[in-house]
Amino acid sequence: SALSSHVHSLYQRTVADLPWAGVSVLLHLHVRRFVCRNPACPRVTFSEPLPEVVAPSARRSVRLANEQRQLGLQVGGAVAARIAHRQGMPVSPATILRLVRRTQLPEPATPALLGVDEWAYRKRLDFKTILVDLSTRKPLELLRDASAATFASWLQAHPGVTVIARDR
């Protein structure tokens, strides 16, 4: 990739931001489009990125999206939408849920103490395996079946388990 300094055009982009004193705020950004001088590049023009302010093609700032996502994670879609509207950040419950679903969760650490239990998803027909971190008593993962091969492949992918407690 090469830098370009040849400005092709300017355009205005409107983005919602965090409210000020309960009043909705719109940012009017003047964004430059540049000409790509590399003949091998498939794009003729490109706009300058603003990753600290707004994601590509987004209609809300990164700060507003994070605040709405946190509301959704804490109280859920419909309640979060009502709270956000009251605070000057109007949003629909569906948008709140969409922001929550896009949240990248950190990969859980492999526990030293692992609980393993099989259970019937459908009585006598479909069995699954649940893995539980015994030190925190929280479920880690649900395996697609109750076979030893599936569990062995999970253990190979997650080294570090020292004790396995199995319920029969």
Side-chain angles (χ1 to χ4, degrees), residues 109-115 132-136 140 154-155 158-165:
T110 302
L113 306 172
L114 180 68
V132 179
D133 183 352
L134 293 179
S135 59
T136 62
L140 288 174
W154 187 91
L155 282 174
H158 300 84
V161 176
T162 55
V163 176
I164 298 173

Side-chain angles (χ1 to χ4, degrees), residues 106-123:
E107 192 66 32
T110 302
L113 306 172
L114 180 68
V116 180
D117 193 12
E118 292 82 24
W119 56 282
Y121 185 70
R122 287 182 20 203
K123 197 171 190 176

Side-chain angles (χ1 to χ4, degrees), residues 40-106:
C41 181
R43 301 183 71 174
V44 177
T45 64
F46 60 94
S47 63
E48 61 185 328
L50 303 168
E52 303 86 20
V53 180
V54 63
S57 303
R59 303 292 300 180
R60 65 180 46 86
S61 69
V62 173
R63 297 179 332 148
L64 178 60
N66 286 339
E67 197 63 34
Q68 291 173 338
R69 178 182 300 109
Q70 286 302 318
L71 272 172
L73 288 169
Q74 291 171 356
V75 296
V79 175
R82 285 196 301 268
I83 292 170
H85 186 73
R86 195 170 58 241
Q87 292 178 347
M89 304 181 291
V91 65
S92 70
T95 301
I96 292 280
L97 293 177
R98 200 168 33 255
L99 289 169
V100 167
R101 283 188 202 107
R102 288 185 193 148
T103 303
Q104 296 292 324
L105 298 176

